[in-house]
Amino acid sequence: LEKVELQRVDLSGALRVKAVCRLQTVNLGYTSLTLQQSTKIVEAILSSKTLVEVNLAWLNLSTVPSEVLAKAVGRLEKVDLASSLMTSAQQIAVGQAVLSSTSLRQADLRSGCIRQNLPAHLLNSLKLMKFIMVISLDLHYGTYLEMMLNNLKKLGMYHLE
């Protein structure tokens, strides 16, 4: 077993952290994890030798120590933290970890609070990275997306692979 989709499943009393550690991909988005479970999951990401893709969207991560959350995010290849509840210190630590990570290929940091709490220089740096989603773009705004991609191309910061 390499991948488990638990999105929207109430796991408030049943999560087995040891089992999660053995996976490559786990989707825990929109689950009802307790604060303690959220902390244990993030700690498990650090110790796992196999986890590379984790979805923690819409989880309350506010009690996870900032440095632990940042280190966990930085060692992954793909992470989804969209609309996760984080403190300002956590958001800054995660933003810095995303910028300095050598393994991260994709990070979803979409959330209104991220835009409000990150220092401007850090937010601007994240916005320029093509694999980071820091703003929520509705597909109906294709013209805006096209304009933004064209601007990044002109700056030499975006290319198709």
Side-chain angles (χ1 to χ4, degrees):
L1 189 63
E2 295 178 353
K3 181 177 181 178
V4 173
E5 292 282 338
L6 297 170
Q7 187 168 327
R8 299 188 190 273
V9 175
D10 182 357
L11 296 172
S12 58
L15 186 65
R16 301 288 179 246
V17 175
K18 287 182 183 180
V20 170
C21 290
R22 295 186 199 120
L23 300 169
Q24 289 181 357
T25 301
V26 65
N27 183 345
L28 296 169
Y30 301 91
T31 56
S32 302
L33 295 182
T34 65
L35 294 173
Q36 183 179 14
Q37 287 173 317
S38 295
T39 299
K40 291 207 179 288
I41 283 295
V42 174
E43 290 170 347
I45 293 169
L46 278 175
S47 63
S48 174
K49 301 208 186 309
T50 57
L51 268 177
V52 293
E53 184 176 328
V54 179
N55 181 338
L56 300 173
W58 290 90
L59 294 184
N60 185 346
L61 302 173
S62 63
T63 59
V64 178
S66 298
E67 61 279 358
V68 173
L69 183 58
K71 285 179 184 176
V73 166
R75 70 161 297 283
L76 294 170
E77 292 178 13
K78 184 176 180 182
V79 65
D80 187 344
L81 295 170
S83 298
S84 293
L85 183 59
M86 292 184 279
T87 65
S88 295
Q90 287 172 315
Q91 292 169 14
I92 292 168
V94 165
Q96 291 169 336
V98 166
L99 285 175
S100 63
S101 175
T102 56
S103 62
L104 203 57
R105 293 181 292 106
Q106 184 176 345
D108 189 338
L109 305 177
R110 289 177 291 170
S111 170
C113 60
I114 293 263
R115 289 192 302 279
Q116 294 168 1
N117 293 327
L118 287 184
H121 71 281
L122 183 56
L123 180 61
N124 290 335
S125 296
L126 288 171
K127 283 181 181 178
L128 292 175
M129 299 176 78
K130 68 177 182 177
F131 62 92
I132 307 299
M133 293 178 273
V134 237
I135 54 175
S136 187
L137 292 175
D138 191 315
L139 292 178
H140 293 94
Y141 295 105
T143 306
Y144 174 75
L145 179 58
E146 186 177 324
M147 181 182 72
M148 187 176 78
L149 292 177
N150 284 334
N151 287 338
L152 289 174
K153 285 177 193 175
K154 288 177 190 173
L155 294 171
M157 297 180 175
Y158 178 80
H159 65 277
L160 294 175
E161 295 177 356

